[in-house]
Amino acid sequence: MANKLNSSFVGRKSRILTVDISPREAMKYSAGIYESNPVFYDDRVHPLLVHPMYAVALTWKISSRFDEYWDTAEFPLDVLERQVHYLEELRWFQPLYVGETLQIQGEVKAIVPHLSGTLFWIDYTAKNRKDEIVFIEGLGALLRDIPCDDEGKGKDLFFRNVKIDRQSEKTLWEENIIIQPMDSYIYDACSDIHFPIHTSWVFSQKVGLSAPVYQGTATLSQAIRKIFEHGFNPSQKRIEYLYARFSSFVYGGDILTIRVFKDESNINDNKLYFEIKTPRNDYAIKNGIIVFGG
């Protein structure tokens, strides 16, 4: 553990990535999470709607080439080997469609100390050719066993969604999500989100894990798939906001349980909460929030 991090990198921005949304890549993403709704595949409809979670595959094109898209002067790149997904926040301002060209730029918004290492937050902002914001992804990572040698900046980003009052919640439904042993490899191939912690036994054990783990964004995407199946038609009810805290690892072969509930004290019927439990009786996802628009 030779490397440390500090908050001097907060405010640093990436180079801009220009990317076209192709039908093949968009459909592959949907297939990789077993999404069967034809609205994401029937290209007789123009423009073809893209699964909203495909946003994470687009931003990964920057994250995965950190030394190419970021000014890495004095940044200890080795610390990125220790990263695990900690928080995900997505805000969509309009739907994603095949054929769009987006420009995406990242900005480091927070670096703060944590008992298990350092928390690291990047905002990715995607704009279309009209310079309109299409989505903003807030990606929170935990750099395991990497110390932060100052008090940090941006701590509030990690604690801004307060848990709802348990006395006012009402469970709407529960359902299982089966993670097959090969699903992390399928998601890796279909999303083009490749990080060896999800596919390599050697690398996973090198960083202190017992086995490759299923991707956090894949678990989250499967949760969205289940919610779509329970009466939220993606062509009519657009997701505007999504938040989730990743709490424990998911492994191939796990049978997860998603529970979706609402806050009865909140009159907004388009706001739901969810959590996902593993067979080890801990939470893969906690404090899940999803807000639908028109």
Side-chain angles (χ1 to χ4, degrees):
M1 188 176 64
N3 291 313
K4 296 181 179 181
L5 207 56
N6 62 65
S7 61
S8 65
F9 300 101
V10 172
R12 192 169 295 191
K13 293 184 178 182
S14 74
R15 290 176 47 211
I16 294 174
L17 166 72
T18 300
V19 60
D20 297 325
I21 301 181
S22 78
R24 180 173 181 268
E25 297 302 315
M27 291 181 193
K28 276 200 314 175
Y29 188 89
S30 296
I33 57 169
Y34 302 101
E35 175 59 71
S36 60
N37 193 319
V39 73
F40 299 119
Y41 302 99
D42 188 352
D43 60 0
R44 293 172 298 181
V45 178
H46 183 78
L48 180 63
L49 186 65
V50 175
H51 196 286
M53 287 301 296
Y54 181 61
V56 302
L58 294 172
T59 61
W60 179 251
K61 297 177 186 297
I62 299 178
S63 292
S64 62
R65 292 181 281 175
F66 204 88
D67 57 346
E68 179 181 344
Y69 277 92
W70 296 85
D71 174 9
T72 57
E74 301 181 4
F75 187 93
L77 288 172
D78 288 349
V79 304
L80 298 177
E81 289 191 359
R82 306 293 302 182
Q83 67 179 315
V84 293
H85 209 156
Y86 185 77
L87 282 174
E88 181 72 20
E89 182 180 59
L90 272 157
R91 288 167 281 170
W92 292 270
F93 298 87
Q94 51 188 289
L96 293 171
Y97 291 107
V98 164
E100 282 190 303
T101 299
L102 299 180
Q103 290 194 320
I104 304 173
Q105 185 174 37
E107 180 179 357
V108 179
K109 303 292 285 189
I111 296 176
V112 296
H114 184 273
L115 288 175
S116 299
T118 295
L119 295 173
F120 186 72
W121 184 291
I122 295 175
D123 265 2
Y124 285 111
T125 300
K127 295 182 178 181
N128 60 21
R129 288 189 180 276
K130 298 178 182 178
D131 204 36
E132 300 167 332
I133 296 177
V134 177
F135 69 82
I136 299 175
E137 179 194 18
L139 192 160
L142 171 63
L143 305 176
R144 298 167 64 243
D145 301 323
I146 301 297
C148 179
D149 63 5
D150 62 15
E151 63 182 11
K153 294 179 183 177
K155 180 179 179 180
D156 289 349
L157 282 174
F158 292 95
F159 301 100
R160 60 183 171 196
N161 277 312
V162 180
K163 203 170 186 179
I164 69 168
D165 180 1
R166 286 290 182 183
Q167 294 182 346
S168 63
E169 73 178 42
K170 177 183 178 181
T171 298
L172 300 178
W173 51 269
E174 292 187 14
E175 195 166 325
N176 288 340
I177 299 174
I178 300 173
I179 307 301
Q180 301 290 349
M182 300 304 294
D183 277 352
S184 63
Y185 301 90
I186 292 170
Y187 185 77
D188 174 288
C190 289
S191 67
D192 204 26
I193 297 175
H194 176 70
F195 190 64
I197 198 174
H198 305 299
T199 55
S200 169
W201 283 80
V202 170
F203 184 88
S204 299
Q205 293 179 349
K206 172 187 171 184
V207 297
L209 300 174
S210 60
V213 297
Y214 191 54
Q215 294 88 339
T217 53
T219 304
L220 189 53
S221 296
Q222 294 235 35
I224 299 305
R225 173 176 65 84
K226 288 293 185 182
I227 291 171
F228 281 159
E229 290 173 358
H230 280 262
F232 286 88
N233 187 328
S235 63
Q236 298 174 356
K237 300 284 284 186
R238 179 173 64 85
I239 301 176
E240 292 184 343
Y241 181 78
L242 179 67
Y243 177 91
R245 181 185 296 269
F246 300 102
S247 185
S248 62
F249 294 119
V250 174
Y251 296 94
D254 280 354
I255 299 178
L256 309 177
T257 302
I258 178 173
R259 183 174 77 94
V260 175
F261 53 101
K262 67 178 182 178
D263 178 2
E264 291 197 299
S265 66
N266 189 336
I267 61 173
N268 182 2
D269 288 337
N270 284 339
K271 185 175 186 179
L272 301 176
Y273 300 85
F274 64 96
E275 59 191 20
I276 297 179
K277 272 191 172 183
T278 76
R280 293 165 293 282
N281 204 34
D282 52 15
Y283 288 95
I285 290 178
K286 296 171 66 176
N287 298 358
I289 301 171
I290 183 168
V291 179
F292 286 90

